[in-house]
Amino acid sequence: MSRLTTAQALVRFLACQFCERDGVEERLFAGCFGIFGHGNVAGVGQALQETPALRYYQSRNEQAMVHTAAAYARMKNRLSTFACTTSVGPGATNMITAAAGATINRLPVLLLPGDIFARRNVAPVLQQLESEHSQDVSVNDCFRPVSRYWDRIMRPEQLTTALPEAMRVLTSPEQTGTVTLCLPEDVQAEAHDYPDALFEKRVWRVPRPPPESDLVARAAELIRAAVRPLVVAGGGVIYSDATPALDAFARATGIPVAESQAGKGSLPFDHPQSLGAVGATGTLAGNRIAADADLVIGIGTRWSDFTTASKTAFQHPAVRFINVNIADFDAHKHAGLPLRADARAALEALSAAVRGYQVPRAHAERIATVRAEWDAEVERLVSGAGTARPSQAEVIGAVNAAAGPKGVVVCAAGSLPGDLHKLWRPRDPKSYHLEYGYSCMGYEVAGGLGVAMADPDRPVFVMVGDASYLMMSGEIVTAVQEGVKLTIVLIDNHGFGSIGSLSESVGSARFGCEYRARGADGQLSGAALPIDYVANAASLGACAVRATSARDLATALAEAKSAPGVSVVVVESDPSLKVGGYDSWWDVPPAEVSTMDAVKAARAAWEEAVKKERDYL
Ligand SMILES: Cc1ncc(C[n+]2csc(CCOP(=O)(O)OP(=O)(O)O)c2C)c(N)n1
Ligand SMILES: [Mg+2]
């Protein structure tokens, strides 16, 4: 028996958890991020101080530290993550946004918010939400819908049953996401005699369940009968380390592969079967092949509306789906043949089952043609139009070149994700890190920190819009504190380029989307806001420069690459040069009634376009 506080027992337990897959073992928790307040300083804070085996990392914002943990976990293919400790009240609820992001993106993070006194006698304590109907409610109940496992530790001994459940969920490829253990402030500091077995090294093995052989045989029949089959690769391909198996399957069969945001990089861009992005932000190649595919093999994808172009991407009247997925939930989407399995195991089984099959010659020829067309289009876009200010596509091309084959681009929201999905040319499965399950503004810098911490040998390039940067850039300070090298490319287009375009498309003429002072007409129509991003980044400890031309940008990126610490390159892009949409659509309904002609026109166009949406039953 060891007499420890709840917090000491928790921290000691976390320090001896390991994860193993394919015989490779690593620590499940690389450390614990935290911001202390009265709700955790004397509990988890004290325990971390006493147990340096679980290293403590400071953060600037509770939301940011959860983004960092999620990005780290993604870079580690979900085999390792961070714990995150907060105070009670606002410190805790600050994590909710990123908790939702981790669950939506199926990434493991362990959240340890402080909670109100279990003892209750001194209630209401500072920052307590009171309820007239129950004393068993706190703001931490808001974590329930965004957590895959949620618990409140009301007595010290509850840890012995809660912790194994929490670890099971974190390390389950099917169930993983946010795990929240709420820790009442008084319980954290309370001592108990814990069994020593709780603190023995535990190894959580991540399985690779094979697909059922009957279902493999049925899938093989569907593939052999298909005339224009297509694979859509999602994040599951990369997490499962299935990219070599996908390469072998695609080469042997000739079946083309399109990619979701999370799946981009599943194949190198110059692979003969790679079509790049598909869906609302798809490439010409991906969307053309998708439109008349008669069989779609989704692998490790959750079929978001961006991937399906709001259910318009697949127009073949008899299209069928096979869903290779570790999660039953995703495997059953679109009435697909549910091939529940680890992606790598399933690809190996499918390769064996369809040996000898090759796509029809016409399909192979079409794939080669659309690939060549798209390659020329990317080349045109990233080469720029010789304008004074570079286009966003040109900036992407320059960053892609500077990043090299192993460099990682990190992004989340704005107009960059769509352009990156189309234009980034990955050569490595971990070189494209786009948080697009939640597309959370503010993820970029915090996420970039997590990526760089997970793999310090790769150059990491965060690409971020001005508005996202303003929302959350404080983790520059954490990167400086930890000596982490990071390059941040900030694209200044004076506000919301993305939502500005969307606003135009729904007839609203960029209302409220530009960063302008209040004008004489009472609207936000005045002068551009005088925000000095270079000075802002420099004040946080970064080495910051402005690039005013494509040539400047190339020089700044080269300098950033060899400089230590955090480098920020601010570049003003030419917003008139946009990347088009390639046969794509995204369902954003304009107002059904309005006095504005532009809105009426947008609604009429939408009513036509929405007819293309299909049910896959
Ligand atoms: C936290 C959060 N709030 C709001 C949004 C909606 N949103 C999506 S993109 C965007 C504007 C982003 O502007 P910026 O970062 O400058 O990128 P740009 O669109 O200019 O490329 C907004 C407000 C979001 N995705 N996340
Ligand atoms: Mg912007």
Side-chain angles (χ1 to χ4, degrees), residues 465-467 491-497:
D466 49 337
I491 300 195
D492 185 4
N493 56 10
H494 307 282
F496 306 166

Side-chain angles (χ1 to χ4, degrees), residues 11-18 27 198-202:
V11 169
R12 213 194 258 199
F13 175 90
L14 297 181
C16 50
Q17 304 307 303
F18 287 77
R27 284 185 67 165
L198 190 62
F199 309 113
E200 278 164 18
K201 176 177 171 180
R202 247 166 240 244

